[in-house]
PDB file of all heavy atoms in Angstrom:
ATOM      1  N   ALA Z 256      -5.683   6.634 -91.874  1.00 87.00           N
ATOM      2  CA  ALA Z 256      -4.617   6.822 -90.887  1.00 87.00           C
ATOM      3  C   ALA Z 256      -3.246   6.523 -91.497  1.00 87.00           C
ATOM      4  O   ALA Z 256      -2.228   6.871 -90.942  1.00 87.00           O
ATOM      5  CB  ALA Z 256      -4.857   5.937 -89.647  1.00 87.00           C
ATOM      6  N   THR Z 257      -3.237   5.831 -92.617  1.00 87.00           N
ATOM      7  CA  THR Z 257      -1.985   5.474 -93.278  1.00 87.00           C
ATOM      8  C   THR Z 257      -2.165   5.485 -94.785  1.00 87.00           C
ATOM      9  O   THR Z 257      -3.277   5.405 -95.295  1.00 87.00           O
ATOM     10  CB  THR Z 257      -1.538   4.038 -92.879  1.00 87.00           C
ATOM     11  OG1 THR Z 257      -2.560   3.117 -93.242  1.00 87.00           O
ATOM     12  CG2 THR Z 257      -1.255   3.943 -91.375  1.00 87.00           C
ATOM     13  N   GLY Z 258      -1.034   5.624 -95.471  1.00 86.00           N
ATOM     14  CA  GLY Z 258      -1.019   5.445 -96.911  1.00 86.00           C
ATOM     15  C   GLY Z 258      -1.331   6.677 -97.734  1.00 86.00           C
ATOM     16  O   GLY Z 258      -1.914   7.663 -97.234  1.00 86.00           O
ATOM     17  N   GLY Z 259      -0.931   6.632 -98.996  1.00 88.00           N
ATOM     18  CA  GLY Z 259      -1.310   7.646 -99.968  1.00 88.00           C
ATOM     19  C   GLY Z 259      -0.855   9.046 -99.652  1.00 88.00           C
ATOM     20  O   GLY Z 259       0.231   9.286 -99.150  1.00 88.00           O
ATOM     21  N   LEU Z 260      -1.741  10.004 -99.957  1.00 91.00           N
ATOM     22  CA  LEU Z 260      -1.411  11.403 -99.781  1.00 91.00           C
ATOM     23  C   LEU Z 260      -1.154  11.764 -98.326  1.00 91.00           C
ATOM     24  O   LEU Z 260      -0.354  12.695 -98.040  1.00 91.00           O
ATOM     25  CB  LEU Z 260      -2.567  12.277-100.322  1.00 91.00           C
ATOM     26  CG  LEU Z 260      -2.809  12.235-101.835  1.00 91.00           C
ATOM     27  CD1 LEU Z 260      -4.049  13.057-102.211  1.00 91.00           C
ATOM     28  CD2 LEU Z 260      -1.573  12.728-102.591  1.00 91.00           C
ATOM     29  N   LEU Z 261      -1.809  11.065 -97.386  1.00 92.00           N
ATOM     30  CA  LEU Z 261      -1.597  11.375 -95.996  1.00 92.00           C
ATOM     31  C   LEU Z 261      -0.164  11.151 -95.601  1.00 92.00           C
ATOM     32  O   LEU Z 261       0.466  11.983 -94.917  1.00 92.00           O
ATOM     33  CB  LEU Z 261      -2.526  10.521 -95.127  1.00 92.00           C
ATOM     34  CG  LEU Z 261      -2.345  10.684 -93.631  1.00 92.00           C
ATOM     35  CD1 LEU Z 261      -2.602  12.117 -93.184  1.00 92.00           C
ATOM     36  CD2 LEU Z 261      -3.218   9.739 -92.865  1.00 92.00           C
ATOM     37  N   GLU Z 262       0.427  10.025 -95.979  1.00 92.00           N
ATOM     38  CA  GLU Z 262       1.800   9.716 -95.628  1.00 92.00           C
ATOM     39  C   GLU Z 262       2.718  10.785 -96.217  1.00 92.00           C
ATOM     40  O   GLU Z 262       3.676  11.213 -95.549  1.00 92.00           O
ATOM     41  CB  GLU Z 262       2.194   8.317 -96.151  1.00 92.00           C
ATOM     42  CG  GLU Z 262       1.513   7.184 -95.385  1.00 92.00           C
ATOM     43  CD  GLU Z 262       1.856   7.200 -93.905  1.00 92.00           C
ATOM     44  OE1 GLU Z 262       3.013   7.445 -93.537  1.00 92.00           O
ATOM     45  OE2 GLU Z 262       0.930   7.016 -93.099  1.00 92.00           O
ATOM     46  N   ALA Z 263       2.469  11.188 -97.457  1.00 93.00           N
ATOM     47  CA  ALA Z 263       3.306  12.204 -98.103  1.00 93.00           C
ATOM     48  C   ALA Z 263       3.194  13.530 -97.327  1.00 93.00           C
ATOM     49  O   ALA Z 263       4.187  14.234 -97.130  1.00 93.00           O
ATOM     50  CB  ALA Z 263       2.889  12.381 -99.526  1.00 93.00           C
ATOM     51  N   GLU Z 264       1.976  13.850 -96.898  1.00 93.00           N
ATOM     52  CA  GLU Z 264       1.754  15.091 -96.133  1.00 93.00           C
ATOM     53  C   GLU Z 264       2.518  15.051 -94.815  1.00 93.00           C
ATOM     54  O   GLU Z 264       3.163  16.043 -94.430  1.00 93.00           O
ATOM     55  CB  GLU Z 264       0.261  15.246 -95.856  1.00 93.00           C
ATOM     56  CG  GLU Z 264      -0.074  16.380 -94.901  1.00 93.00           C
ATOM     57  CD  GLU Z 264      -1.486  16.257 -94.334  1.00 93.00           C
ATOM     58  OE1 GLU Z 264      -2.351  15.708 -95.051  1.00 93.00           O
ATOM     59  OE2 GLU Z 264      -1.703  16.717 -93.219  1.00 93.00           O
ATOM     60  N   LEU Z 265       2.482  13.939 -94.130  1.00 95.00           N
ATOM     61  CA  LEU Z 265       3.155  13.810 -92.832  1.00 95.00           C
ATOM     62  C   LEU Z 265       4.680  13.878 -93.010  1.00 95.00           C
ATOM     63  O   LEU Z 265       5.374  14.510 -92.215  1.00 95.00           O
ATOM     64  CB  LEU Z 265       2.745  12.528 -92.151  1.00 95.00           C
ATOM     65  CG  LEU Z 265       1.281  12.408 -91.756  1.00 95.00           C
ATOM     66  CD1 LEU Z 265       1.003  11.050 -91.127  1.00 95.00           C
ATOM     67  CD2 LEU Z 265       0.856  13.511 -90.808  1.00 95.00           C
ATOM     68  N   GLU Z 266       5.184  13.205 -94.042  1.00 94.00           N
ATOM     69  CA  GLU Z 266       6.615  13.232 -94.299  1.00 94.00           C
ATOM     70  C   GLU Z 266       7.091  14.669 -94.590  1.00 94.00           C
ATOM     71  O   GLU Z 266       8.159  15.119 -94.120  1.00 94.00           O
ATOM     72  CB  GLU Z 266       6.943  12.334 -95.488  1.00 94.00           C
ATOM     73  CG  GLU Z 266       6.792  10.839 -95.208  1.00 94.00           C
ATOM     74  CD  GLU Z 266       7.963  10.286 -94.395  1.00 94.00           C
ATOM     75  OE1 GLU Z 266       8.915  11.048 -94.119  1.00 94.00           O
ATOM     76  OE2 GLU Z 266       7.905   9.121 -93.993  1.00 94.00           O
TER      77      GLU Z 266
END
Side-chain angles (χ1 to χ4, degrees):
T257 58
L260 293 176
L261 176 61
E262 290 300 318
E264 172 197 330
L265 296 177
E266 290 284 355

